[in-house]
Amino acid sequence: ETKKNWWKNAVGYQIYPRSFKDSNHDGIGDLNGIREKLPYLKELGIDFVWINPIYASPNVDNGYDISDYQAIHEDFGTMEDFQALLNEAHNLNLKIIMDLIVNHTSDQHPWFLESKKSLDNPYRDYYHWADATREVPPNDWQSFFGGSTWTYNETTEQSYFHVFAKEQPDLNWKNPKVRHEIYQMIRWWLDLGIDGFRIDAISHIQKEPWDFKITENQWAPFMNVAGIELYLEELKAIFNEYNVMTVGEASGVPHQEATDWTGENGYFNMIFELEHCERIGTVGQQKGSIPHLKHSLNQWQTSLEADGWNALYLENHDTPRSVSVYGDDTPEAAKALATILLLLKGTPFIYQGQEVGMTNYPFSSIEEINAADTIHFYQTLLDQGMIDTEALAIAVNWSRDHSRTPFQWENTLHGGFSTVEPWLRVNDNYPMINAAQKDLESSSIFHYYQTLIRLRKQTDALIDGTFELLLPEHPTVFCYTRTTETERWLILVQLGREETTVSFPDSWDYAKWVEIISNSETKSLHSKLCLSNYEAHVYREI
Ligand code: ISL
Ligand code: CA
């Protein structure tokens, strides 16, 4: 029997199955590929894996458009393969978290195929329909993927609502039948023995009335809208019947409300907030903003201190690679970021390839892009009159495809991901950056991750200790302490490309601080320290 709140001590790993490991030579990663690599995840020190959607889907949004919730996509394998994966993972004491996508379905889902047939179809109210003409939508709200949130249907002369692509119609949560169907489906998966869910886009399930007037925030009409708590409470009641872990993707939920969402009586065990990795500054900017990262993570760490729990991440399948956004693609930068991520308070999620230092891809043509939102964004920029090279530079800057290139396992053709041409190009840097480096170098990024994970697991202060941000005004140094009644730890990371100096209070007894981990030369803690680019140190007071 697994103990309650097991997820507080756990380290998670996110698998984007299409790009993880191809076992049957079709250029697409699959479930048997994941099975092959479970020992690799154990070696790293992982406790649970979150797998991006593997359900039947026309793949307009790579699996986030589901056409059958209870079937495995043939690209990934069969239900038997899934069962085998679950069993093998459990035998290795690895848990499996599935993606739960219930804000919308695919437009090819049988419910929607029925719904669009006629005004009086029994499935009509499974989705949101409103009177419209071909020219004039019910209102002027814009979708996350660009363009109107409404798509006109000729047959019934109404439009349906979608916050993402037009092939992803939003489910109508007001309809009790819809909720009943969803809850049954959720139970079906939980009864199968999975260990939890990452709940997709869940802050969008409630919508304002269609005549709601947008003031500042264009997403306000479908982002954390009042009334959502009823549905979230119903979901919580189901999850509570099972000893599973839940992490809600809660875009637009402010840290002031985090307790409702993740506290002792919150809707989920933890949430993915999206603030800290928001695009700051001009659209074309290359670097992530370190002051913003510090400020925002600090807010989330402190507001959840009393009641709540953070889900920690620096990159995922929707973002570029953190070593490229905040770093300079080097192993030192990758290790510096790992030091920050793995010692914060919360449950860390490592995104596949992050532990070997995988970088952004140098896209040079729109043909190399697969992500629907990037292609749409590029087209919008062209339509606005921008020249091709400029539009491409801006569109690919934050493209989701940077993190979706195939996993670089070793220095062989296609990085060892597949024996045939993969669905998305492998980054040309695979001869240098790949998982097999760990067997060649004891100083590999992988080993650094392994060491941090081990340290975290054997140190209560790094699980439960209070977080405090130090040097809050420093533009590039990310420094914090983790403290319990008996221990104090100091995490000190220069995230900048230059040398910098930091100072700590003269009153500290520096003889008491010992260095535990560093990504560079050993350096004792002093009231004045000079740090070079991407230098990271972890100290403990004894
Ligand atoms: O807030 C948003 C954009 O500013 C949206 O974040 C949204 O919550 C986020 O993009 C949701 O992402 C998830 O759902 C999408 C899917 O395309 C992503 O891959 C997934 O992570 C639709 O299912
Ligand atoms: Ca395959």
Side-chain angles (χ1 to χ4, degrees), residues 61 64 104 145 198 200 204 249 251 274 317-318 400:
D61 187 18
Y64 282 96
H104 49 270
F145 287 176
R198 174 266 188 189
D200 184 69
H204 306 314
E249 190 202 24
S251 161
L274 278 75
H317 65 294
D318 290 337
R400 294 171 160 196

Side-chain angles (χ1 to χ4, degrees), residues 200-411:
D200 184 69
I202 195 65
S203 51
H204 306 314
I205 59 176
Q206 169 80 331
K207 290 48 157 150
E208 294 284 5
W210 306 136
D211 61 359
F212 173 87
K213 286 279 163 294
I214 295 176
T215 50
E216 291 134 52
N217 183 353
Q218 64 164 319
W219 314 125
F222 40 83
M223 195 108 113
N224 191 23
V225 171
I228 193 172
E229 58 283 356
L230 294 174
Y231 310 139
L232 298 176
E233 287 292 347
E234 288 183 359
L235 279 171
K236 180 176 101 181
I238 301 173
F239 296 141
N240 279 349
E241 292 172 32
Y242 299 79
N243 185 14
V244 292
M245 172 190 139
T246 57
V247 47
E249 190 202 24
S251 161
V253 172
H255 64 92
Q256 293 88 339
E257 283 177 38
T259 297
D260 294 344
W261 286 68
T262 80
E264 198 55 39
N265 297 310
Y267 312 130
F268 306 106
N269 297 140
M270 58 190 105
I271 54 173
F272 286 128
E273 50 84 15
L274 278 75
E275 260 167 42
H276 76 276
C277 55
E278 234 162 56
R279 310 161 194 210
I280 295 296
T282 57
V283 254
Q285 84 159 17
Q286 289 299 315
K287 298 300 291 175
S289 158
I290 294 160
H292 172 74
L293 181 75
K294 283 174 61 171
H295 173 75
S296 160
L297 285 178
N298 180 39
Q299 274 187 334
W300 282 90
Q301 290 281 305
T302 46
S303 27
L304 274 63
E305 185 63 57
D307 188 19
W309 193 253
N310 273 292
L312 308 167
Y313 70 100
L314 290 175
E315 61 189 65
N316 62 33
H317 65 294
D318 290 337
T319 70
R321 290 288 185 174
S322 57
V323 72
S324 302
V325 172
Y326 302 107
D328 61 355
D329 289 0
T330 60
E332 289 66 40
K335 291 176 187 173
L337 287 161
T339 315
I340 295 170
L341 175 72
L342 288 164
L343 305 182
L344 286 168
K345 187 168 185 174
T347 299
F349 286 70
I350 298 165
Y351 178 69
Q352 66 179 44
Q354 189 180 348
E355 78 283 12
V356 303
M358 281 180 63
T359 64
N360 276 357
Y361 185 93
F363 293 108
S364 61
S365 130
I366 198 71
E367 269 71 59
E368 293 171 338
I369 297 280
N370 172 273
D373 62 326
T374 310
I375 295 170
H376 195 282
F377 186 33
Y378 169 78
Q379 195 51 54
T380 310
L381 295 173
L382 288 186
D383 294 346
Q384 287 168 4
M386 198 176 275
I387 61 162
D388 175 75
T389 46
E390 241 177 86
L392 185 73
I394 292 177
V396 303
N397 188 27
W398 283 87
S399 176
R400 294 171 160 196
D401 279 354
H402 287 298
S403 58
R404 297 180 180 186
T405 62
F407 194 103
Q408 295 161 211
W409 289 104
E410 55 190 31
N411 182 13

Side-chain angles (χ1 to χ4, degrees), residues 478-497:
F478 202 132
C479 180
Y480 59 89
T481 52
R482 298 293 310 278
T483 312
T484 60
E485 270 168 28
T486 52
E487 280 178 51
R488 187 146 72 127
W489 291 70
L490 183 103
I491 291 88
L492 176 62
V493 180
Q494 156 64 331
L495 268 189
R497 286 168 187 247

Side-chain angles (χ1 to χ4, degrees), residues 26-47:
D26 62 357
I28 300 173
D30 45 56
L31 294 175
N32 288 334
I34 301 176
R35 277 166 76 188
E36 241 175 74
K37 295 298 181 184
L38 293 178
Y40 169 84
L41 300 177
K42 276 309 275 188
E43 188 186 346
L44 182 57
I46 296 304
D47 302 290

Side-chain angles (χ1 to χ4, degrees), residues 65-83:
D65 46 324
I66 297 176
S67 53
D68 184 346
Y69 283 104
Q70 276 145 263
I72 301 291
H73 197 295
E74 56 188 20
D75 285 351
F76 298 130
T78 62
M79 199 50 91
E80 287 67 45
D81 296 335
F82 178 76
Q83 284 283 4

